Amino acid sequence: MTTDNTDETTSMAAEAGHRALSLLNKAIDVQTPLVRRNIARARQRNPEASPAEVIRNLERMYVSALTGTGAAVGGTAAAPGVGTGVALALSAAEALSSLELSVLFALSIAEVHGVPIDEIERRRTIVMGIMLGGSGSKTITKVAERTGQHWARQIVAKVPVETLHRINGVLGRHFVTKYGTKQGIIVLGRVAPFGIGLVIGGAANAGLATLAVRAGRRAFGQAPASWSD
Protein backbone atom coordinates (compact mmCIF):
# COMPACT_ATOMS: atom_id res chain seq x y z
CA MET A 1 0.00 0.00 0.00
CA THR A 2 2.77 2.41 0.96
CA THR A 3 4.70 1.62 -2.23
CA ASP A 4 1.60 2.19 -4.33
CA ASN A 5 0.96 5.55 -2.68
CA THR A 6 4.57 6.57 -3.17
CA ASP A 7 4.50 5.59 -6.84
CA GLU A 8 1.25 7.50 -7.34
CA THR A 9 2.67 10.60 -5.66
CA THR A 10 5.82 10.43 -7.77
CA SER A 11 3.75 10.04 -10.92
CA MET A 12 1.55 13.01 -10.03
CA ALA A 13 4.60 15.14 -9.27
CA ALA A 14 6.17 14.22 -12.62
CA GLU A 15 2.93 15.04 -14.42
CA ALA A 16 2.67 18.40 -12.64
CA GLY A 17 6.27 19.16 -13.53
CA HIS A 18 5.72 18.35 -17.18
CA ARG A 19 2.62 20.54 -17.18
CA ALA A 20 4.50 23.46 -15.59
CA LEU A 21 7.21 23.37 -18.25
CA SER A 22 4.61 23.03 -21.00
CA LEU A 23 2.84 26.13 -19.70
CA LEU A 24 6.15 27.97 -19.58
CA ASN A 25 6.93 27.12 -23.20
CA LYS A 26 3.41 28.11 -24.24
CA ALA A 27 3.71 31.42 -22.40
CA ILE A 28 7.04 32.15 -24.10
CA ASP A 29 5.61 31.39 -27.53
CA VAL A 30 2.55 33.58 -26.95
CA GLN A 31 4.29 36.55 -25.32
CA THR A 32 7.44 36.88 -27.45
CA PRO A 33 5.66 38.67 -30.35
CA LEU A 34 4.18 41.15 -27.83
CA VAL A 35 7.50 42.34 -26.36
CA ARG A 36 8.00 45.42 -28.52
CA ARG A 37 4.36 46.41 -28.14
CA ASN A 38 4.76 46.18 -24.37
CA ILE A 39 7.80 48.48 -24.50
CA ALA A 40 5.92 50.94 -26.70
CA ARG A 41 3.08 50.99 -24.18
CA ALA A 42 5.56 51.78 -21.40
CA ARG A 43 6.86 54.73 -23.46
CA GLN A 44 3.48 56.23 -24.31
CA ARG A 45 3.38 58.80 -21.52
CA ASN A 46 6.85 60.06 -22.40
CA PRO A 47 8.12 59.15 -25.88
CA GLU A 48 11.47 60.74 -24.99
CA ALA A 49 11.94 58.52 -21.93
CA SER A 50 15.37 56.97 -21.47
CA PRO A 51 15.82 53.19 -21.32
CA ALA A 52 16.15 53.43 -17.52
CA GLU A 53 12.85 55.29 -17.27
CA VAL A 54 11.11 52.78 -19.52
CA ILE A 55 12.42 49.91 -17.42
CA ARG A 56 10.98 51.55 -14.30
CA ASN A 57 7.64 51.88 -16.08
CA LEU A 58 7.79 48.22 -17.11
CA GLU A 59 8.49 47.24 -13.50
CA ARG A 60 5.54 49.28 -12.20
CA MET A 61 3.21 47.91 -14.87
CA TYR A 62 4.27 44.34 -14.08
CA VAL A 63 3.86 44.61 -10.31
CA SER A 64 0.51 46.36 -10.68
CA ALA A 65 -0.84 43.84 -13.20
CA LEU A 66 0.29 40.78 -11.27
CA THR A 67 -1.05 42.12 -7.97
CA GLY A 68 -4.36 43.03 -9.58
CA THR A 69 -4.96 39.62 -11.15
CA GLY A 70 -4.14 37.85 -7.89
CA ALA A 71 -6.48 40.02 -5.85
CA ALA A 72 -9.30 39.82 -8.39
CA VAL A 73 -9.24 36.05 -8.62
CA GLY A 74 -8.78 35.74 -4.86
CA GLY A 75 -11.93 37.77 -4.27
CA THR A 76 -13.98 36.03 -6.95
CA ALA A 77 -12.88 32.53 -6.00
CA ALA A 78 -13.84 33.09 -2.38
CA ALA A 79 -17.15 34.83 -3.06
CA PRO A 80 -20.33 33.25 -1.67
CA GLY A 81 -21.84 30.69 -4.00
CA VAL A 82 -18.61 29.86 -5.81
CA GLY A 83 -17.78 26.18 -5.32
CA THR A 84 -14.31 24.92 -4.54
CA GLY A 85 -13.96 23.32 -7.98
CA VAL A 86 -14.77 26.58 -9.74
CA ALA A 87 -12.47 28.47 -7.37
CA LEU A 88 -9.57 26.16 -8.11
CA ALA A 89 -10.23 26.42 -11.85
CA LEU A 90 -10.16 30.21 -11.62
CA SER A 91 -6.93 30.11 -9.68
CA ALA A 92 -5.33 27.73 -12.16
CA ALA A 93 -6.25 30.06 -15.02
CA GLU A 94 -4.79 32.98 -13.10
CA ALA A 95 -1.57 31.04 -12.54
CA LEU A 96 -1.14 30.78 -16.32
CA SER A 97 -1.94 34.48 -16.69
CA SER A 98 0.68 35.33 -14.04
CA LEU A 99 3.22 33.18 -15.84
CA GLU A 100 2.54 34.99 -19.12
CA LEU A 101 2.92 38.38 -17.42
CA SER A 102 6.24 37.27 -15.95
CA VAL A 103 7.48 36.05 -19.32
CA LEU A 104 6.48 39.32 -21.00
CA PHE A 105 8.21 41.34 -18.28
CA ALA A 106 11.48 39.39 -18.42
CA LEU A 107 11.72 39.44 -22.22
CA SER A 108 10.80 43.13 -22.37
CA ILE A 109 13.63 44.01 -19.99
CA ALA A 110 16.00 41.93 -22.12
CA GLU A 111 14.89 43.78 -25.25
CA VAL A 112 15.53 47.18 -23.68
CA HIS A 113 19.01 46.05 -22.62
CA GLY A 114 19.76 44.74 -26.09
CA VAL A 115 20.16 41.14 -24.98
CA PRO A 116 19.21 38.85 -27.90
CA ILE A 117 15.99 36.91 -27.52
CA ASP A 118 15.84 35.54 -31.05
CA GLU A 119 16.54 31.96 -29.98
CA ILE A 120 14.19 29.95 -27.79
CA GLU A 121 16.97 28.71 -25.49
CA ARG A 122 18.01 32.29 -24.70
CA ARG A 123 14.43 33.22 -23.94
CA ARG A 124 14.04 30.23 -21.63
CA THR A 125 17.24 31.05 -19.74
CA ILE A 126 16.22 34.67 -19.23
CA VAL A 127 12.71 33.84 -18.05
CA MET A 128 13.57 30.97 -15.71
CA GLY A 129 16.66 32.73 -14.40
CA ILE A 130 14.64 35.79 -13.38
CA MET A 131 11.68 33.84 -11.99
CA LEU A 132 14.01 31.67 -9.88
CA GLY A 133 15.85 34.68 -8.47
CA GLY A 134 19.11 34.05 -6.63
CA SER A 135 19.08 30.30 -7.16
CA GLY A 136 18.62 30.86 -10.88
CA SER A 137 21.65 33.13 -11.18
CA LYS A 138 23.81 30.69 -9.20
CA THR A 139 22.79 27.82 -11.45
CA ILE A 140 23.50 29.80 -14.61
CA THR A 141 26.98 30.90 -13.55
CA LYS A 142 27.85 27.43 -12.27
CA VAL A 143 26.79 25.48 -15.37
CA ALA A 144 28.28 28.08 -17.71
CA GLU A 145 31.49 28.03 -15.65
CA ARG A 146 31.63 31.80 -15.68
CA THR A 147 31.63 34.33 -12.89
CA GLY A 148 30.78 38.01 -12.68
CA GLN A 149 27.81 40.26 -12.26
CA HIS A 150 24.79 40.60 -14.52
CA TRP A 151 24.49 37.11 -15.95
CA ALA A 152 21.93 38.09 -18.58
CA ARG A 153 24.45 40.31 -20.38
CA GLN A 154 27.61 38.38 -19.55
CA ILE A 155 26.35 34.84 -20.16
CA VAL A 156 23.02 34.62 -21.99
CA ALA A 157 24.05 37.12 -24.64
CA LYS A 158 27.42 35.47 -25.29
CA VAL A 159 27.57 31.72 -24.68
CA PRO A 160 26.69 29.16 -27.38
CA VAL A 161 23.19 27.74 -27.57
CA GLU A 162 24.52 24.31 -26.57
CA THR A 163 25.62 25.76 -23.24
CA LEU A 164 22.25 27.40 -22.74
CA HIS A 165 20.58 24.07 -23.42
CA ARG A 166 22.53 22.49 -20.54
CA ILE A 167 21.72 25.46 -18.30
CA ASN A 168 18.03 25.20 -19.09
CA GLY A 169 18.00 21.51 -18.26
CA VAL A 170 19.06 22.31 -14.70
CA LEU A 171 16.90 25.44 -14.44
CA GLY A 172 13.89 23.44 -15.63
CA ARG A 173 14.15 21.03 -12.72
CA HIS A 174 14.44 23.90 -10.24
CA PHE A 175 11.57 25.75 -11.91
CA VAL A 176 9.24 22.77 -11.61
CA THR A 177 9.93 22.45 -7.88
CA LYS A 178 9.93 26.10 -6.89
CA TYR A 179 7.24 27.48 -9.19
CA GLY A 180 4.89 24.54 -8.63
CA THR A 181 5.22 24.76 -4.85
CA LYS A 182 4.66 28.51 -4.75
CA GLN A 183 1.66 28.41 -7.05
CA GLY A 184 0.15 25.51 -5.12
CA ILE A 185 0.27 27.50 -1.89
CA ILE A 186 -1.14 30.59 -3.59
CA VAL A 187 -3.96 28.69 -5.29
CA LEU A 188 -5.07 27.13 -2.02
CA GLY A 189 -4.84 30.49 -0.28
CA ARG A 190 -7.17 32.09 -2.79
CA VAL A 191 -10.05 29.79 -1.88
CA ALA A 192 -9.99 31.02 1.72
CA PRO A 193 -13.08 32.85 3.01
CA PHE A 194 -14.06 36.00 1.13
CA GLY A 195 -11.74 38.91 1.83
CA ILE A 196 -8.95 36.70 3.10
CA GLY A 197 -8.57 35.10 -0.32
CA LEU A 198 -8.41 38.53 -1.95
CA VAL A 199 -5.63 39.65 0.39
CA ILE A 200 -3.68 36.41 0.01
CA GLY A 201 -3.96 36.44 -3.78
CA GLY A 202 -2.91 40.05 -4.13
CA ALA A 203 -0.13 39.93 -1.54
CA ALA A 204 1.33 36.67 -2.84
CA ASN A 205 1.44 37.91 -6.41
CA ALA A 206 2.91 41.23 -5.30
CA GLY A 207 5.65 39.33 -3.51
CA LEU A 208 6.44 37.23 -6.58
CA ALA A 209 6.50 40.32 -8.79
CA THR A 210 8.81 42.21 -6.44
CA LEU A 211 11.25 39.29 -6.35
CA ALA A 212 11.23 39.12 -10.16
CA VAL A 213 11.90 42.86 -10.42
CA ARG A 214 14.90 42.56 -8.11
CA ALA A 215 16.17 39.52 -9.99
CA GLY A 216 15.86 41.43 -13.28
CA ARG A 217 17.95 44.30 -11.95
CA ARG A 218 20.67 41.90 -10.81
CA ALA A 219 20.55 39.98 -14.09
CA PHE A 220 20.95 42.95 -16.43
CA GLY A 221 22.58 45.68 -14.38
CA GLN A 222 22.47 49.34 -15.34
CA ALA A 223 20.21 50.30 -18.23
CA PRO A 224 21.74 51.56 -21.50
CA ALA A 225 22.32 55.32 -21.60
CA SER A 226 20.41 55.67 -24.87
CA TRP A 227 18.34 53.70 -27.36
CA SER A 228 20.16 51.73 -30.02
CA ASP A 229 18.94 51.66 -33.61
Side-chain angles (χ1 to χ4, degrees), residues 26 66 73 85 97 108 112-113 139 164-165 167 174 177 190 199 220:
K26 179 180 179 181
L66 206 63
V73 172
S97 175
S108 296
V112 174
H113 278 274
T139 296
L164 293 176
H165 185 74
I167 291 172
H174 293 174
T177 301
R190 291 196 190 106
V199 172
F220 294 99

Side-chain angles (χ1 to χ4, degrees), residues 36-123:
R36 292 189 177 181
R37 186 186 305 174
N38 190 44
I39 295 172
R41 189 159 63 96
R43 299 184 66 182
Q44 281 180 349
R45 291 185 179 180
N46 181 10
E48 302 302 320
S50 67
E53 291 171 327
V54 169
I55 287 174
R56 286 196 292 271
N57 282 338
L58 288 170
E59 290 173 347
R60 286 193 291 267
M61 288 162 53
Y62 170 59
V63 173
S64 176
L66 206 63
T67 303
T69 58
V73 172
T76 303
V82 176
T84 302
V86 174
L88 290 174
L90 288 170
S91 292
E94 194 279 330
L96 175 59
S97 175
S98 296
L99 181 57
E100 291 183 339
L101 286 171
S102 298
V103 167
L104 182 61
F105 167 72
L107 296 182
S108 296
I109 299 299
E111 179 78 10
V112 174
H113 278 274
V115 174
I117 57 172
D118 52 321
E119 294 164 312
I120 182 63
E121 293 298 336
R122 299 191 194 281
R123 295 196 290 270

